[in-house]
Amino acid sequence: FKDDLSTSLQLFTPMSPYDLDLPIQATEDVVFSSQFNQPKELPTDFSSVDLSFLPDIAQDNKEQNLSKDGNETQKELDGSIPRNEDSSGIMDESSLSYPDATQPSPEASGMCPLTPMTPMTPATSASESSGIVPQLQNIVSTVNLACKLDLKNIALHARNAEYNPKRFAAVIMRIREPRTTALIFSSGKMVCTGAKSEEQSRLAARKYARVVQKLGFPAKFLDFKIQNMVGSCDVRFPIWLEGLVLTHQQFSSYEPELFPGLIYRMVKPRIVLLIFVSGKVVLTGAKERSEIYEAFENIYPILKGFKKAS
Amino acid sequence: MAAPGRRCPGCGSAELLEDALYAQQQLVCAACGCVLAEGLLTTTYSEEEHRREVAYSQSTGQKEQLSRCLQRGIRRVQDLCKVLQLPTVFEETAVSYFQRAMQHPAFHLVSLEKKELLGGCCVFVTCRQHNWPLTMGTICSLLYAKQELFAGVFLSLQKELGLSVPALSLADLVKTHLNSFRLFQHSADIPAPFVEDKEKMVARTLQIVELAGETWLVTGRHPIPIVTAAAFLAWQSLQPGTRLACPLARFCRVAGVDLPPPAHLRLKELLEILLRMASQLAWLRVFKLDKKTVVKHIGDLLQHRIFLLKNAFCVEEEEEQHAVALGEGSPGSPRAVAQEKGCPVGIKHRQEGGTRPLLPPCLIQPRKRLRMAAPSAVDSAVSGDEPISDSEIEQYLRGPEEIRAFSKAKAW
């Protein structure tokens, strides 16, 4: 069915569905607004196309629609994938021959990342996608509170702070929701770790800044930046690491004496992957979520080649 | 002093003095004043007088160009190569890597300890590039270094210089490691039944290590414990009558080799694989084989290993991997189920029948409970810009009484 989705995208090239000034926009919003609110329910006509392997898109759609209402363009683009299916019904289902579809061209895949604002998982690529989405496990971000801080004072007045100047020159503060840890330095710079998404990291950093504010310091919230993102996933088959290091020597480092996993330094995007024999993959070094997804889609066909039939 | 036996060409006197005229060294005859030799035009050691070739590294020319730290490091690298009895070409390569590394900005300011390790790393990389089986453990023990520190220096060396380090060849490692076993010659402290022929033992150990490689016991694991366990099994199987009673620890003690802690686990895993293979061999199914007795038949099992592996393990299917939790069925019981080739349909079959998918041990016995935690809807609905309530923040702040109590206790 994955090929079907790609072909349906390709079939829409002449229609240019990603053109923002689509004339049928208004009517489609009305007719298919239910589609946006309940993305899980697909019209029965299109049961042959199953979108359940894209959970994040459905939720992202929900997010975008809730937080950015009134942004019709956004809605339009977010809804484009389910909309494609609907529109195909409008055309003529019989004219779409799914089983005899030709190989989708690379242009079809290029249409997937719709706008830079929408953090969507890439739905398909030219070759079949893995169907596995890496989960984000940790986000590290930094922010500048822009005022000098008295760490002893903070440690005294805050319950959730620990400060041991002999061991480390910063206050270690933790909050429960989102479950994160922050390192707060006397210069006013702060590092926030442990969040599972960019938004959670930002929210957590703001909470820490509020705590510092309530302690009486004129804290601001400047230059919030995500420094590192860590994701992990499971390809569900064992990987023959010795073979991988032989063929991809210039990128891989596999030293079983040191570490049981293979360290793969991908060049584009610049991500470091830790690949283990059990099939678990850890991806780190990303500044953006899309880099993690892209890196995994790049490595998945390579790993499949080392599945090693027993 | 002049060389003994030199005579003045003018008067034949043997009285020759070294004198300096305007700070230029001259060899002068005390009798007639004839100058025999003047000035040392070369800057090399006096050995050049004897017309011996002086290597550039011995001449002062090189010394003047290199810093003392670099000289010390190069000497250390050369000493390491001599201790390990490496060919001379290795020494040159290692020294050149060391010089390149020391010139790299990343290594300028590292501690002296790390600089010493850097020399060891260069030797290690050179050996690996020439497929010379040298383990990190050996180098670390030679350098008296902590392995974590060595690992860090090695990885940064690899990254900064962009060196490609090929993987350790397990076959070569087997041969080298077995060389250090003291079992191949009769000696006073080794009981006669322990001595074994080297060729046979190496061959069988190689086969067992290959078997381990094919059954996922090698990937991701430290190689030395596997080689030790395989050597033990090979040794036992060559004379099972007398050697079955000897445990692994005693074997290593007699052989004069360290027993690495994971070797026991590797031994257990190898025996499990062999037992499963034995269950497929028609004439062995009659016996109730266990961990001890299967050793007697290792020769046969290795001979037919390709066939046995194919039958003892079925091709795994992705969905069922996670659900497989295997019980250890008695291997000796006759198994009609095991006869079928290909994968049995139900997982139950697999548990009873004794064929299991050929997977790494970490997948067969997952130690951690797999946390299938999908991000909850609440989490993903966070936008990052939500309002933060005061009460939420205040829960993290101490009240005044608390602060007073704390200050009294800690005397801030």
Side-chain angles (χ1 to χ4, degrees):
Chain A
F1 66 89
K2 289 177 190 141
D3 279 337
D4 297 341
L5 184 57
S6 319
T7 27
S8 64
L9 283 174
Q10 185 188 26
L11 285 160
F12 282 97
T13 327
M15 270 180 62
S16 60
Y18 305 102
D19 187 353
L20 303 183
D21 301 324
L22 214 54
I24 51 172
Q25 188 174 332
T27 43
E28 289 224 334
D29 274 346
V30 169
V31 175
F32 300 111
S33 57
S34 58
Q35 188 72 15
F36 297 149
N37 294 333
Q38 293 138 21
K40 296 264 198 264
E41 276 180 30
L42 294 169
T44 48
D45 296 344
F46 312 108
S47 56
S48 59
V49 183
D50 184 29
L51 286 181
S52 56
F53 77 103
L54 300 171
D56 276 10
I57 291 184
Q59 289 188 331
D60 278 354
N61 281 347
K62 235 187 186 165
E63 252 181 75
Q64 298 301 330
N65 292 333
L66 288 172
S67 57
K68 296 176 184 164
D69 48 337
N71 187 344
E72 277 194 328
T73 322
Q74 198 67 30
K75 246 185 177 177
E76 193 50 51
L77 297 170
D78 290 346
S80 64
I81 288 198
R83 190 169 58 79
N84 286 342
E85 311 320 307
D86 302 330
S87 306
S88 73
I90 297 171
M91 279 171 55
D92 183 7
E93 223 185 60
S94 57
S95 73
L96 301 173
S97 52
Y98 291 138
D100 306 324
T102 52
Q103 201 51 272
S105 65
E107 284 115 50
S109 66
M111 300 197 292
C112 286
L114 300 166
T115 60
M117 289 187 287
T118 320
M120 270 166 54
T121 52
T124 55
S125 49
S127 54
E128 61 170 79
S129 89
S130 58
I132 305 172
V133 180
Q135 298 292 336
L136 288 181
Q137 302 292 350
N138 183 23
I139 314 270
V140 177
S141 56
T142 54
V143 72
N144 186 5
L145 302 177
C147 65
K148 291 275 172 276
L149 303 173
D150 180 353
L151 297 184
K152 264 176 98 171
N153 194 310
I154 294 177
L156 176 61
H157 290 265
R159 287 196 184 121
N160 55 344
E162 62 180 82
Y163 179 49
N164 197 341
K166 290 192 205 123
R167 206 157 50 113
F168 191 55
V171 162
I172 303 169
M173 195 181 281
R174 295 172 221 269
I175 58 174
R176 281 184 280 275
E177 184 56 47
R179 219 163 75 91
T180 49
T181 306
L183 302 173
I184 308 178
F185 294 86
S186 53
S187 60
K189 299 261 171 73
M190 183 171 81
V191 180
C192 173
T193 63
K196 298 270 192 228
S197 77
E198 304 91 317
E199 297 84 13
Q200 280 189 24
S201 192
R202 191 188 159 81
L203 178 62
R206 282 175 57 226
K207 289 191 182 175
Y208 288 114
R210 280 289 286 278
V211 171
V212 171
Q213 265 178 358
K214 284 225 182 279
L215 290 171
F217 297 93
K220 303 203 209 36
F221 196 77
L222 307 178
D223 308 324
F224 174 79
K225 185 174 177 216
I226 306 270
Q227 300 289 353
N228 186 24
M229 300 175 72
V230 181
S232 73
C233 57
D234 188 357
V235 300
R236 308 258 176 115
F237 53 81
I239 301 169
W240 188 40
L241 301 177
E242 290 93 335
L244 183 56
V245 77
L246 274 176
T247 50
H248 290 77
Q249 209 175 45
Q250 61 273 51
F251 305 114
S252 329
S253 160
Y254 169 56
E255 298 292 332
E257 295 180 71
L258 290 182
F259 188 63
L262 185 149
I263 304 172
Y264 191 101
R265 292 181 195 275
M266 195 175 281
V267 172
K268 185 168 162 21
R270 234 182 110 234
I271 300 280
V272 174
L273 298 94
L274 304 177
I275 304 170
F276 295 89
V277 67
S278 57
K280 307 260 189 327
V281 180
V282 173
L283 307 98
T284 180
K287 293 272 197 287
E288 305 212 343
R289 190 188 275 246
S290 57
E291 289 176 8
I292 298 222
Y293 297 144
E294 194 187 332
F296 182 68
E297 292 302 319
N298 287 349
I299 200 83
Y300 188 71
I302 297 172
L303 295 180
K304 272 180 74 171
F306 290 97
K307 203 165 159 175
K308 191 171 180 189
S310 50
Chain B
M1 287 294 293
R6 279 188 81 161
R7 290 187 165 274
C8 170
C11 62
S13 148
E15 274 184 80
L16 301 171
L17 294 172
E18 282 208 341
D19 198 7
L21 177 67
Y22 305 129
Q24 189 190 42
Q25 206 63 359
Q26 286 181 339
L27 194 60
V28 184
C29 170
C32 65
C34 168
V35 175
L36 276 76
E38 73 180 1
L40 278 170
L41 297 174
T42 58
T43 53
T44 58
Y45 289 10
S46 56
E47 279 164 350
E48 194 151 47
E49 281 182 1
H50 299 286
R51 287 181 182 76
R52 234 194 290 161
E53 216 174 62
V54 180
Y56 181 56
S57 58
Q58 302 290 322
S59 70
T60 52
Q62 191 185 48
K63 261 198 170 179
E64 278 152 19
Q65 287 175 16
L66 301 172
S67 70
R68 202 153 8 145
C69 178
L70 204 52
Q71 280 172 42
R72 244 206 311 264
I74 291 177
R75 233 194 333 263
R76 193 86 173 90
V77 170
Q78 290 168 338
D79 290 341
L80 270 173
C81 292
K82 286 196 187 76
V83 165
L84 291 166
Q85 296 180 345
L86 302 175
T88 26
V89 65
F90 284 25
E91 191 178 305
E92 288 156 18
T93 322
V95 168
S96 75
Y97 281 151
F98 183 73
Q99 283 183 302
R100 264 176 67 193
M102 290 296 274
Q103 280 163 8
H104 204 280
F107 294 109
H108 272 166
L109 300 172
V110 296
S111 62
L112 277 177
E113 194 184 358
K114 277 194 177 169
K115 280 194 177 135
E116 171 126 328
L117 289 185
L118 198 55
C121 281
C122 295
V123 175
F124 178 70
V125 168
T126 312
C127 287
R128 282 279 284 271
Q129 288 181 334
H130 288 90
N131 280 322
W132 190 274
L134 183 69
T135 55
M136 285 193 200
T138 313
I139 288 275
C140 284
S141 59
L142 280 176
L143 294 172
Y144 305 108
K146 292 180 283 225
Q147 199 172 38
E148 303 89 49
L149 207 56
F150 184 86
V153 178
F154 170 72
L155 289 174
S156 48
L157 177 72
Q158 201 183 9
K159 200 171 81 151
E160 299 295 338
L161 293 189
L163 302 169
S164 74
V165 183
L168 189 62
S169 151
L170 215 50
D172 292 331
L173 183 64
V174 166
K175 292 183 201 134
T176 319
H177 194 60
L178 285 182
N179 279 341
S180 57
F181 281 54
R182 296 188 308 125
L183 292 170
F184 307 120
Q185 273 159 3
H186 290 269
S187 112
D189 46 349
I190 299 181
F194 275 51
V195 180
E196 185 53 69
D197 174 45
K198 188 164 175 193
E199 300 298 324
K200 278 199 272 178
M201 186 143 153
V202 169
R204 190 158 277 195
T205 310
L206 271 174
Q207 283 185 318
I208 297 182
V209 168
E210 262 177 45
L211 177 69
E214 285 162 22
T215 51
W216 292 108
L217 297 183
V218 169
T219 311
R221 268 92 173 271
H222 201 292
I224 293 284
I226 299 168
V227 175
T228 312
F232 176 62
L233 277 180
W235 174 82
Q236 269 193 330
S237 69
L238 287 170
Q239 256 188 56
T242 45
R243 294 175 182 169
L244 264 183
C246 174
L248 179 59
R250 182 154 177 245
F251 168 76
C252 289
R253 231 191 352 257
V254 173
V257 169
D258 286 333
L259 173 59
H264 284 287
L265 286 167
R266 301 293 160 264
L267 187 61
K268 224 169 57 166
E269 286 165 1
L270 272 171
L271 284 169
E272 196 239 333
I273 300 279
L274 287 169
L275 278 170
R276 286 197 182 274
M277 286 167 66
S279 71
Q280 298 300 315
L281 211 47
W283 61 88
L284 288 182
R285 256 186 254 131
V286 193
F287 304 110
K288 278 202 175 245
L289 289 176
D290 67 4
K291 289 191 313 185
K292 290 266 175 191
T293 46
V294 74
V295 178
K296 291 190 242 179
H297 307 281
I298 285 184
D300 287 337
L301 293 174
L302 288 174
Q303 206 178 358
H304 304 285
R305 67 176 185 272
I306 300 172
F307 167 75
L308 294 173
L309 279 180
K310 214 160 35 132
N311 283 3
F313 303 97
C314 61
V315 179
E316 72 277 5
E317 285 148 42
E318 292 180 1
E319 307 86 59
E320 286 165 295
Q321 266 187 35
H322 286 274
V324 170
L326 298 163
E328 283 275 63
S330 148
S333 56
R335 248 159 308 196
V337 187
Q339 276 292 17
E340 57 190 348
K341 288 199 176 186
C343 219
V345 175
I347 301 168
K348 252 200 309 182
H349 273 196
R350 222 174 291 170
Q351 282 177 328
E352 294 162 10
T355 57
R356 66 157 170 87
L358 192 54
L359 292 173
C362 54
L363 283 179
I364 302 207
Q365 294 152 10
R367 267 188 272 167
K368 291 191 198 171
R369 257 183 312 126
L370 299 166
R371 264 194 298 161
M372 306 287 205
S376 64
V378 177
D379 285 345
S380 55
V382 169
S383 72
D385 290 314
E386 285 117 341
I388 304 169
S389 65
D390 279 347
S391 54
E392 188 185 351
I393 301 295
E394 261 146 38
Q395 70 174 312
Y396 294 120
L397 303 178
R398 290 206 173 110
E401 309 84 28
E402 218 180 315
I403 296 177
R404 255 180 273 131
F406 234 82
S407 334
K408 256 198 290 187
K410 286 223 173 173
W412 281 106

